[in-house]
Amino acid sequence: MCEANAYLRQEGKEEMFMEMVDKVTPGEDGLVLEDIFGRRKIIKARIAELALVDHRIILEKQE
Amino acid sequence: MCEANAYLRQEGKEEMFMEMVDKVTPGEDGLVLEDIFGRRKIIKARIAELALVDHRIILEKQE
């Protein structure tokens, strides 16, 4: 499976936001992240960076 | 390997932009996409959507 972990980057630090993310889609209230089990989290952020072979998605908060 | 294919979405259509993408990072001239062989492409776009289990990155042009 090629899911990735989503990290929130703030002030140079990265914090785990959600594990085993499959889909990231834009929604009305922000980005909708969905993991491989169908669980969802919403965050006002943008996708800043990807490193897929390392299974990493980097998010940055958006006002 | 968990690379993905990057598609450019324009007017509802999706066109292949780059195959086997590993890294996507923001650069001065736009997004820098790097495939698993280290080849690079730059495009003025944003990451609109991800579907990692399907190996898909959707880009949208940015002016």
Side-chain angles (χ1 to χ4, degrees), chain A residues 1-4 21-26 31 36 46-55 57, chain B residues 1-4 21-26 31 36 46-55 57:
Chain A
M1 292 286 274
C2 281
E3 74 284 356
V21 174
D22 170 16
K23 292 192 175 66
V24 183
T25 48
L31 281 183
I36 56 170
R46 64 185 194 92
I47 305 168
E49 236 177 279
L50 298 176
L52 298 179
V53 174
D54 292 339
H55 300 264
I57 301 168
Chain B
M1 291 287 276
C2 280
E3 75 284 353
V21 174
D22 170 16
K23 291 191 175 69
V24 183
T25 49
L31 281 183
I36 55 170
R46 65 184 194 91
I47 305 168
E49 237 177 279
L50 297 176
L52 298 179
V53 173
D54 291 339
H55 300 263
I57 300 168

Side-chain angles (χ1 to χ4, degrees), chain B residues 8-63:
Chain B
L8 188 60
R9 182 186 287 160
Q10 274 178 309
E11 295 165 9
K13 286 188 209 157
E14 290 169 8
E15 205 171 283
M16 173 71 76
F17 178 71
M18 192 178 193
E19 291 182 284
M20 294 183 282
V21 174
D22 170 16
K23 291 191 175 69
V24 183
T25 49
E28 269 181 33
D29 300 316
L31 281 183
V32 182
L33 282 75
E34 189 176 316
D35 73 12
I36 55 170
F37 306 107
R39 292 178 297 213
R40 288 181 179 191
K41 274 189 172 185
I42 295 178
I43 180 172
K44 278 202 193 306
R46 65 184 194 91
I47 305 168
E49 237 177 279
L50 297 176
L52 298 179
V53 173
D54 291 339
H55 300 263
R56 287 164 55 82
I57 300 168
I58 307 296
L59 304 174
E60 282 176 356
K61 277 217 175 147
Q62 223 169 19
E63 296 316 307

